[in-house]
Amino acid sequence: MNAYLPLRISEAASPRDLVRDTGSGRNRAAAAPVEVVQRGVSPIEDEESNCAIVQFAEARLYAPEESEAVSVALMRIGGYDDRCSVAWETFDPTGTNSRFFVHATGVVTFLPTEHTKTVTVRILKDDTWSANAEFNLKLSEPDNCRLGQLQHTCRVKIIDADFFPDNKHKDAFLRGEIDEEDGFSLLVSYLKFNLKVPGVAWRVVVLMILDQIHNAYFLMTTYLNIYMVDVVFRHKEGEGEGEVEEATERRLVAAGVSLLRPILRRLMEEGEGGGEEEEAELFGGFLVNGSREETAFLCGWLYILPLFVLHLSDIVKVQLNVVGRSREFLQRSLFMKYLHYSEMEQRKTAPVSIGVGVITEAAEIAEMGFMKAIAMLRLFCKMLIVGNFVHMEQPSAV
């Protein structure tokens, strides 16, 4: 089997060097692959060889959150006799870290003999525990120079030094006495922490408003029950209007009925004549034409129709996904912090503990902590409604 070795030759190489003997005496005319290099010409000595190269001095920088600004150095390689310039700007690669720095742009000009320049980006202090933020700087629009192939962008990581759920319990964490802290204080701090999560605060407000729809339905059905028992089911043909009025006046539902009657009267089909007699009949105790059956039918619809509104509000609450956003923020922040640990710190931390924290504990604290607090607030509002109802209906019971 013949083996041909690559042969690198120059212009001064002899023709006999183009042929390699394989040892068998045959195929002496077979030429090995060759690469011709012109003497005195270097691959980098092209028309751009004298053009300056501008790039960032470092591809990655770390800045503590406490610092007010971060300085990023630019360097010029070659072309020191001429003047050159580049444009630079900051950008957020994730679209979620703009609250950690001030967006900035500018132009850097290198005068002759200058080889280093510095640009400064302001860092915004944030007291919320979160993952390490990141933003990038990029160079563009080179003038009388060209950009470096690899370091035309620079990544800046802002190291978060805050404590979970807030810095109020920082000393207890450092002393290792967090278990001795007041549980209620920790809960309040955690609830405040969730309200600072991007996109959660306004969703919580909407969620609480939708929860009050259920409380309003509860109050309405309570008054409907009273009206059905005291008026609709109690009224008989032999009873006079005075007895009906006496029964309704004992309850606050009379006020609600009085408000509904003008609306229902306008919606009902108007007949000819009637006048004051028709109005007197309408205010006799029943909502619809003085008829017990029609009034009961209307009350039945008042029970059923709001259920569609309640169902729609529940769909909106699911779409808001408050618990999902809270859980995702905890999981992402915890995992990203672990990825930014040094190699020594990662060895000290068991991967299984990070897995349990991300998969199990983050979900539990969001569902059993934050969402339970919102549910308790809904029940508290319901208790206020019931207490006010009892106080106005039966003051002696309070």
Side-chain angles (χ1 to χ4, degrees), residues 223 226 230 246-255 393-394:
Y223 278 116
I226 295 174
D230 285 353
E246 182 181 356
T248 56
E249 286 176 358
R250 291 187 298 102
R251 303 290 183 176
L252 289 176
V253 72
E393 286 289 322
Q394 193 70 30

Side-chain angles (χ1 to χ4, degrees), residues 226-248 281 283-287 289-293 295:
I226 295 174
Y227 179 73
M228 293 282 288
V229 172
D230 285 353
V231 178
V232 178
F233 296 152
R234 183 172 179 173
H235 182 70
K236 299 179 180 179
E237 294 182 0
E239 292 180 345
E241 293 183 1
E243 297 179 2
V244 176
E245 291 178 359
E246 182 181 356
T248 56
E281 183 181 3
F283 278 78
F286 295 124
L287 291 174
N289 295 330
S291 171
R292 180 178 60 185
E293 290 78 9
T295 300

Side-chain angles (χ1 to χ4, degrees), residues 150-336:
L150 300 179
Q151 293 183 198
H152 58 278
T153 60
C154 176
R155 300 172 60 187
V156 180
K157 290 188 176 293
I158 304 175
I159 306 302
D160 179 71
D162 298 312
F163 285 75
F164 178 86
D166 61 12
N167 295 325
K168 177 181 177 181
H169 307 279
K170 177 180 178 180
D171 295 336
F173 274 110
L174 296 178
R175 295 194 306 266
E177 301 175 355
I178 189 61
D179 294 336
E180 301 177 5
E181 288 290 295
D182 181 21
F184 182 76
S185 177
L186 284 172
L187 176 61
V188 173
S189 298
Y190 172 66
L191 297 180
K192 292 180 179 179
F193 162 79
N194 277 277
L195 296 178
K196 295 180 181 179
V197 175
V200 169
W202 71 267
R203 285 180 167 83
V204 171
V205 174
V206 175
L207 184 63
M208 293 172 60
I209 294 175
L210 294 177
D211 282 342
Q212 302 315 308
I213 297 179
H214 289 266
N215 290 336
Y217 178 74
F218 168 78
L219 182 62
M220 184 196 72
T221 53
T222 302
Y223 278 116
L224 275 178
N225 290 335
I226 295 174
Y227 179 73
M228 293 282 288
V229 172
D230 285 353
V231 178
V232 178
F233 296 152
R234 183 172 179 173
H235 182 70
K236 299 179 180 179
E237 294 182 0
E239 292 180 345
E241 293 183 1
E243 297 179 2
V244 176
E245 291 178 359
E246 182 181 356
T248 56
E249 286 176 358
R250 291 187 298 102
R251 303 290 183 176
L252 289 176
V253 72
V257 171
S258 299
L259 292 175
L260 287 175
R261 282 170 179 162
I263 300 175
L264 294 174
R265 182 172 59 242
R266 286 193 296 268
L267 296 177
M268 289 188 304
E269 182 178 358
E270 296 182 359
E272 296 182 358
E276 297 180 356
E277 296 181 358
E278 181 180 355
E279 184 176 356
E281 183 181 3
L282 183 64
F283 278 78
F286 295 124
L287 291 174
V288 184
N289 295 330
S291 171
R292 180 178 60 185
E293 290 78 9
E294 295 182 10
T295 300
F297 184 77
L298 175 63
C299 291
W301 279 111
L302 290 177
Y303 274 100
I304 298 173
L305 292 179
L307 293 177
F308 294 96
V309 179
L310 295 178
H311 183 66
L312 180 61
S313 68
D314 290 338
I315 294 177
V316 175
K317 287 162 60 176
V318 172
Q319 295 298 324
L320 289 175
N321 195 24
V322 175
V323 62
R325 285 183 172 270
S326 176
R327 180 181 64 247
E328 179 188 1
F329 184 83
L330 286 173
Q331 292 173 332
R332 179 170 55 85
S333 298
L334 183 60
F335 187 67
M336 292 300 295

